[in-house]
Amino acid sequence: MISNNRLTAEQYEENFSDIHPPFDIKEAALVEANRCLFCYDAPCIKSCPTSINVPKFIKQITTDNIKGSAHTIFVSNIFGGGCSRVCPVEKLCEGSCVYNLMDEAPIQIARLQRYATDKFIKEKTPIFHRKQSIGKKVAIIGAGPAGLSCAHVLSREGIDVTVFEKEAKGGGLMTYGIAAYKVTPEFCQDEVDFITSLGGITIEYNKELGKNLNLADLKTQYDAIFLGIGVGLARKLDIPGEEMEGVVNAIEFIYNLRSNPFHQIPVGDKVVVIGLGMTAIDAATQAKRLGANEVTIAYRRTQDEMPSTEVELNLAKLDGCNIRWLAAPKEVIGEGGKVRALVCSEMELGVADASGRRAPVDTGRTFTIEADMVIKAAGQIPFKDLVDNNDIQNYGGKIIEKNTATNIEGVFAGGDCVNGGKEVVDAVQAGKDGATAILEYLGIIQDVNRRPVGVNDTITAGTSLPSDQDGNKFSYHQNVK
């Protein structure tokens, strides 16, 4: 039976409390920071899509230069606080830490990053100073990580930025699409407020491209446009019974959970989640934490091919979720229009597909999982109609761009609407790349190969680069010829 209010207020609070608690005392952070070997040509920097100078910000923690440490992080990733909570660090910075080669625990980079940034985000302490307005205006569609990252870089250079957001709050995926025990709505709001506290950034909410927002009109009003519209349409299963009551998509499920009090979110007694990406894990664990008695994750391949990380999988297992490998949804069975069970095809692995993973092959055998709720998390598809209707060149809805520029002059794009869906940190970098391209398009900076934070980039002496209030070239860490 699908119902809400299954748990007490205390149980909801406990189940959705922070799973990545920060260092609670300064001494603990210092002990961890002093473990760092401060590697030359550090692999942790290279594995971060935004190229945060990890050894530098950790070194600054050891010298009690917390504001300097925060600056080092934010100059590369203005969502550094959020990413410290949601990034799959086990396959990025921490996964590349040299301690892994010595069979020792890697440096807790994410917790140290959170230690360095949380205070400034909560208190909205100024880290950057905006240059005086230069009279240029840029419109950004989407107040997610890509859009706000782009906005922050542009505003630092004195450009007046207006961000149009279809939802009632900013933050995009951070606010509406990630498990509540990883990042709270309150933190998401604090992070958006911190980013916009720079000045020069206005967010207009409840403005959606294709509904009450027109790209052609924006082009006449702004000097450039950046599209950070994300990717958010759930992929259909195309199986019988998919439209029954009790079948929901994971995006909608998580969105509702992030937008309403926990006790108001209905969840089934026996829940089946289809898929094994990060969104599937978030849906499954949250269903369990909302009070579902049984949660089963059905995945058509094996653990070796799963898109989620082992850390995420273990989180689901610790929450009591069951995993059915080599199970592909075949039919939803119902009674009175409501879900009663999910019939799955038993699969086996054949030859590798185009992605390098072995393709699942139907054996012809089936099995049934009892369920009163089925959550679809089999991937997302881009907003094809939206981009088609705006004459944007695309492939299956994914925007085609070259160095962030689309086929429409003055219109740039980045993030999930281009790459089809990656990590938050990838979207942040895409926003920075878009800002760099716009700055070049507007003649504010020269061509620097459009790499805002390439740690090992080489540029030509004399190139005009953004700088902070002290004249430091904060948008770049590079070697100069």
Side-chain angles (χ1 to χ4, degrees):
M1 177 180 177
I2 298 177
S3 64
N4 58 10
N5 206 26
R6 286 175 171 268
L7 306 176
T8 65
E10 291 76 17
Q11 287 174 313
Y12 284 123
E13 183 176 356
E14 180 181 357
N15 287 354
F16 289 93
S17 62
D18 194 342
I19 63 168
H20 300 302
F23 288 111
D24 54 358
I25 57 174
K26 173 182 175 182
E27 288 72 19
L30 289 175
V31 168
E32 185 63 20
N34 278 297
R35 288 182 61 227
C36 184
L37 301 176
F38 309 113
C39 302
Y40 174 77
D41 201 23
C44 52
I45 302 176
K46 293 182 175 181
S47 64
C48 173
T50 59
S51 300
I52 292 176
N53 193 330
V54 177
K56 180 180 179 180
F57 95 69
I58 293 179
K59 184 68 174 179
Q60 289 168 312
I61 289 176
T62 68
T63 60
D64 204 26
N65 180 10
I66 306 304
K67 187 172 183 179
S69 180
H71 183 279
T72 298
I73 295 165
F74 288 135
V75 79
S76 294
N77 184 346
I78 197 60
F79 276 87
C83 285
S84 70
R85 290 161 164 78
V86 306
C87 262
V89 292
E90 60 274 9
K91 69 177 185 180
L92 296 173
C93 55
E94 292 184 18
S96 66
C97 179
V98 295
Y99 272 119
N100 290 298
L101 302 176
M102 296 182 268
D103 294 324
E104 291 190 37
I107 300 296
Q108 297 179 59
I109 297 171
R111 289 186 75 192
L112 289 172
Q113 187 166 311
R114 180 171 174 179
Y115 173 79
T117 58
D118 272 8
K119 174 178 182 290
F120 300 99
I121 294 172
K122 186 173 183 59
E123 298 178 1
K124 302 170 191 62
T125 305
I127 297 292
F128 304 97
H129 289 278
R130 182 175 186 256
K131 290 182 179 179
Q132 185 175 356
S133 177
I134 61 174
K136 296 288 186 180
K137 299 192 304 179
V138 171
I140 293 176
I141 303 177
L148 289 181
S149 173
C150 180
H152 197 268
V153 174
L154 292 174
S155 183
R156 292 203 310 251
E157 290 307 297
I159 293 176
D160 298 317
V161 180
T162 302
V163 183
F164 298 96
E165 169 56 46
K166 70 176 182 177
E167 301 292 349
K169 296 180 181 180
L173 180 69
M174 290 287 292
T175 299
Y176 292 104
I178 292 177
Y181 52 77
K182 293 180 181 177
V183 55
T184 66
E186 293 77 17
F187 172 81
C188 290
Q189 186 62 57
D190 284 342
E191 190 163 48
V192 171
D193 292 342
F194 167 71
I195 293 170
T196 57
S197 67
L198 172 72
I201 304 172
T202 300
I203 304 180
E204 294 192 15
Y205 295 105
N206 301 306
K207 293 294 182 69
E208 183 173 355
L209 185 64
K211 290 189 177 179
N212 54 2
L213 202 62
N214 184 279
L215 189 60
D217 291 341
L218 292 177
K219 276 185 58 62
T220 66
Q221 302 170 35
Y222 292 88
D223 298 296
I225 298 171
F226 179 81
L227 302 176
I229 58 176
V231 55
L233 299 176
R235 191 182 302 278
K236 295 190 67 174
L237 300 176
D238 292 324
I239 61 174
E242 186 174 358
E243 305 304 322
M244 284 190 185
E245 182 181 342
V247 179
V248 300
N249 69 69
I251 299 169
E252 176 186 352
F253 178 71
I254 296 173
Y255 179 95
N256 289 335
L257 200 154
R258 297 283 303 194
S259 305
N260 299 284
F262 299 130
H263 70 274
Q264 293 182 5
I265 308 301
V267 68
D269 192 54
K270 296 181 178 181
V271 179
V272 177
V273 178
I274 299 170
L276 197 51
M278 301 297 234
T279 301
I281 295 287
D282 282 357
T285 53
Q286 289 187 112
K288 189 69 174 175
R289 292 174 186 227
L290 284 170
N293 286 325
E294 293 181 19
V295 175
T296 302
I297 299 174
Y299 180 55
R300 61 179 183 159
R301 290 182 168 96
T302 70
Q303 184 171 344
D304 290 338
E305 292 81 31
M306 68 179 184
S308 70
T309 66
E310 188 171 352
V311 169
E312 292 286 324
L313 177 64
N314 289 339
L315 178 63
K317 289 180 177 179
L318 287 171
D319 275 0
C321 299
N322 304 310
I323 316 294
R324 290 297 301 262
W325 305 105
L326 296 169
K330 181 179 178 64
E331 181 182 2
V332 177
I333 297 176
E335 187 174 319
K338 298 181 179 180
V339 174
R340 184 170 59 83
L342 177 70
V343 178
C344 293
S345 295
E346 187 176 319
M347 313 299 282
E348 63 183 13
L349 293 183
V351 297
D353 61 15
S355 67
R357 295 185 297 174
R358 294 174 64 191
V361 178
D362 194 338
T363 64
R365 299 185 295 271
T366 63
F367 61 92
T368 301
I369 306 174
E370 289 187 19
D372 52 16
M373 186 176 192
V374 174
I375 301 177
K376 301 180 292 182
Q380 297 166 254
I381 57 176
F383 299 105
K384 187 177 186 304
D385 291 342
L386 179 64
V387 294
D388 280 344
N389 293 339
N390 283 282
D391 299 320
I392 302 169
Q393 186 179 3
N394 67 90
Y395 174 75
K398 289 193 293 184
I399 296 174
I400 296 174
E401 47 84 13
K402 181 179 181 182
N403 295 326
T404 77
T406 70
N407 60 299
I408 303 175
E409 183 179 356
V411 178
F412 302 80
D416 288 355
C417 64
V418 171
N419 63 41
K422 289 188 177 181
E423 307 296 344
V424 170
V425 67
D426 293 291
V428 174
Q429 181 59 46
K432 289 162 51 188
D433 289 341
T436 304
I438 291 172
L439 290 171
E440 181 191 337
Y441 173 75
L442 298 177
I444 297 170
I445 64 171
Q446 300 173 25
D447 184 359
V448 289
N449 297 320
R450 300 183 176 91
R451 284 290 300 161
V453 292
V455 174
N456 298 310
D457 284 353
T458 299
I459 64 171
T460 303
T463 299
S464 174
L465 300 175
S467 58
D468 64 13
Q469 67 272 25
D470 301 316
N472 299 312
K473 305 302 182 183
F474 60 73
S475 291
Y476 301 81
H477 305 286
Q478 73 290 306
N479 305 309
V480 179
K481 286 183 178 178

